[in-house]
Amino acid sequence: MSRESVRFAVLGPIRAWRAGAELDLGRPQQRVLLGLLLARAGRPVGLSEIVDALWGEDPPGSAVNVVRRHIGILRRTLEPGLPLRAPGHWLLREAAGYRIAVDADSLDLLRFRRLRERAGEAADRSPGRAVTLLTEALALWKGPAGADVSVEIRARAFLDVLDRERLAAVKELADAALRAGMTAPVLDELRKAALANPLDEPLLARLVLALAATGQRAEALETHRAAVARLADELGLTPGRELSDAHAAVLRESRPAARPAAGSAARSGAALGGESADGGLPLPRAAYSEPRPAQLPQDLPAFSGRRTQLAKLSALLPEAGRPLDTAVISVIGGMAGVGKTTLAVHWAHQVADRFPDGQFYVDLRGFEPTGTALDPGEAVRDFLCALGVPRHRVPHGLDAQTALYRSLLAGRRFLVLLDNALDTEQVRPLLPGAPGCLVIVTSRDTLTGLVADHGAHPLSLCWLDAEEGREFLAARLGAARVGAEPQAAAEIVELCAGLPLALSCVAARLAAHPGFRLSALAAELRDAHDRLDAIARGSAEVSTVFSWSYRALSAAAARLFRLLAGHPGPDLSASEVAELAALDGLAGHAGLDAQESARLLAELVRAHLVAEPSPGRYSVHDLLRSYAAGLGENTDHGH
């Protein structure tokens, strides 16, 4: 069966047609599975994400087999003549899941996005053309995305996220119509959107202005009055500047003036939403009127290496010029001092131009020595202020704040860098809800919840190899100085165990003393009784940074870490770990059973204090061994 003969719809009920005849998509779970794949519009969906969408937190033991059975049935539904176990043209197996091979000719969602993109290109020079294109795009919607799926499952399958794209397109339609003087034909679309989103002030402001522009002043004033009452009753807020400006313009009984080109006021530093030059109605104030957030820390001038990791990160984004159809989340994990933040900041600067609406940064202080992580509500409130929301208008409660934050990001392209996260729950409220944004998270925890629940892409950062370590020193000390003593440089990298933080300490000391020979410092490190102390001399102590991860452990895991670090071998199996713990009396006279051993090892691996280089084998980094040796046998790890 040819690909061209099959069409799909997800903007409304989930449907499919072959040769013009609608297909029976079978059981509800099969429809949900197809809807999830269609919502990703050709991008892979992980098997764990599919299982979560279908069953939530309580999947059956046979979940994976059921998913594979659903995939097989859907394949044969789309291509009846497909031989058993044949891959087919549409539902394709990916390394970690499945994807559906669709394009703008076969999927309504991609047609909608293509029309919206063309409208954006036409908005400045021909707003009337933009109105036509956006009207055509919105006509593709036959209800909420995945309308035949329950509300709970729509959220799990990320179908409800698509509705925000529709809302953003309605606002773009209103802006183009106001500029083109074509507001009457778009009123029905605005009214429907406002009914579904009664607390969206930017949308309501546009409806007020459109009603006034068509001579319906009384309805415009009533729309404003009802919006003010809802904001007060449900959120305890007074109307913002955008809605207030629209109301004032209606009271002046003026005609709306032409809206300036999209983004021009923001680029020039002028605030949208003020009175127009000819005294007419102001146009809707942008969601943020402050300068575009650009909060990224400074990139490290001497950044070197990590080429493989940078390539993996860049592969998460589509080719330049192509839209980002989902919110991409990248989790960069690794042990303390391995350079997670340095890599994240460097990559963020490389791709920042792909996210023109702004970049956010926050240090979540997940592993600070004080033990006090940043409250996510505080981070959300800071982001809202950066978006131009006055402090006194930030709603009460984390849920309301998160909802406002996601509403302001909907339809825009932001980069969000969340540094030093403690756990998944600290990160969740800071995730954008709509496609088009990139989130970079760094943490000493593996944050498996983000991977399982939000489709995040994990990248575990290891120490530098010999060549990368040499490049690291050359970038900070100069190629000539490192090249003059290549063996000493290699030994320094080895004695620092390739850990970027340790190499930074050593490089800082050498840079401060240009007359020091690398061989002399290598000998000092080699002969030192306490290598960590020798590395950190004259700089921040590496052991202090390690301690932030160590103090977050449970008492049993901390004791097991000290035991493992004292083991002379390169690695241990899980059973050997249990035996070692039993000999030490970690779990009392009964010893440490396999289940408890696995739990403690998982805690240490999540904290990146112990590595699992292969399934069931565990090892400890050389510098972490040195750190553990200095802890002593009777360390109270909590202080």
Side-chain angles (χ1 to χ4, degrees), residues 569-618:
D571 61 8
L572 299 91
S573 68
S575 60
E576 289 170 332
V577 170
E579 290 173 6
L580 183 68
L583 288 173
D584 183 74
L586 177 60
H589 297 294
L592 191 67
D593 63 28
Q595 184 176 0
E596 180 66 6
S597 175
R599 186 188 68 78
L600 295 178
L601 283 168
E603 182 179 350
L604 292 173
V605 170
R606 283 197 307 271
H608 289 282
L609 288 170
V610 167
E612 188 177 9
S614 62
R617 304 294 301 184
Y618 300 90

Side-chain angles (χ1 to χ4, degrees), residues 136-362:
E136 183 181 349
L138 289 164
L140 295 170
W141 288 79
K142 311 302 180 185
D148 51 344
V149 176
S150 71
V151 173
E152 179 185 2
I153 296 178
R154 284 182 74 241
R156 292 206 306 257
F158 294 98
L159 288 163
D160 58 346
V161 171
L162 301 182
D163 296 337
R164 297 169 191 164
E165 292 188 57
R166 179 186 191 180
L167 179 59
V170 171
K171 294 176 184 177
E172 292 163 6
L173 174 64
D175 294 344
L178 285 165
R179 288 200 299 273
M182 299 169 58
T183 49
V186 306
L187 275 178
D188 283 346
E189 195 73 56
L190 278 171
R191 287 189 178 106
K192 287 189 295 184
L195 187 63
N197 302 274
L199 298 175
D200 189 316
E201 292 188 62
L203 174 66
L204 295 169
R206 286 164 169 82
L207 176 57
V208 168
L209 293 174
L211 287 167
T214 54
Q216 301 178 66
R217 181 173 177 270
E219 186 179 347
L221 293 173
E222 173 56 27
T223 297
H224 175 267
R225 185 206 63 76
V228 171
R230 280 194 301 273
L231 288 168
D233 292 344
E234 299 187 31
L235 298 179
L237 296 177
T238 56
R241 177 69 179 274
E242 189 169 357
L243 191 55
S244 297
D245 284 351
H247 179 243
V250 175
L251 292 178
R252 288 197 300 270
E253 298 184 299
S254 299
R255 177 181 60 82
R259 181 185 175 99
S264 61
R267 286 192 295 269
S268 66
L272 296 178
E275 188 171 341
S276 61
D278 65 356
L281 288 175
L283 290 149
R285 175 174 294 271
Y288 55 88
S289 57
E290 297 298 316
R292 182 176 66 94
Q295 300 177 351
L296 292 180
Q298 181 181 4
D299 193 9
L300 185 66
F303 185 90
S304 63
R306 301 299 194 191
R307 287 179 287 275
T308 300
Q309 291 80 8
L310 286 169
K312 289 181 179 179
L313 290 170
S314 296
L316 300 178
L317 302 178
E319 296 178 3
R322 296 180 64 84
L324 187 62
D325 296 335
T326 61
V328 172
I329 306 170
S330 174
V331 177
I332 302 176
M335 65 181 286
V338 80
K340 301 179 293 295
T341 298
T342 301
L343 176 64
V345 170
H346 182 72
W347 184 52
H349 277 283
Q350 284 190 329
V351 300
D353 61 338
R354 305 275 302 271
F355 302 92
D357 291 309
Q359 304 91 44
F360 293 109
Y361 170 84
V362 63

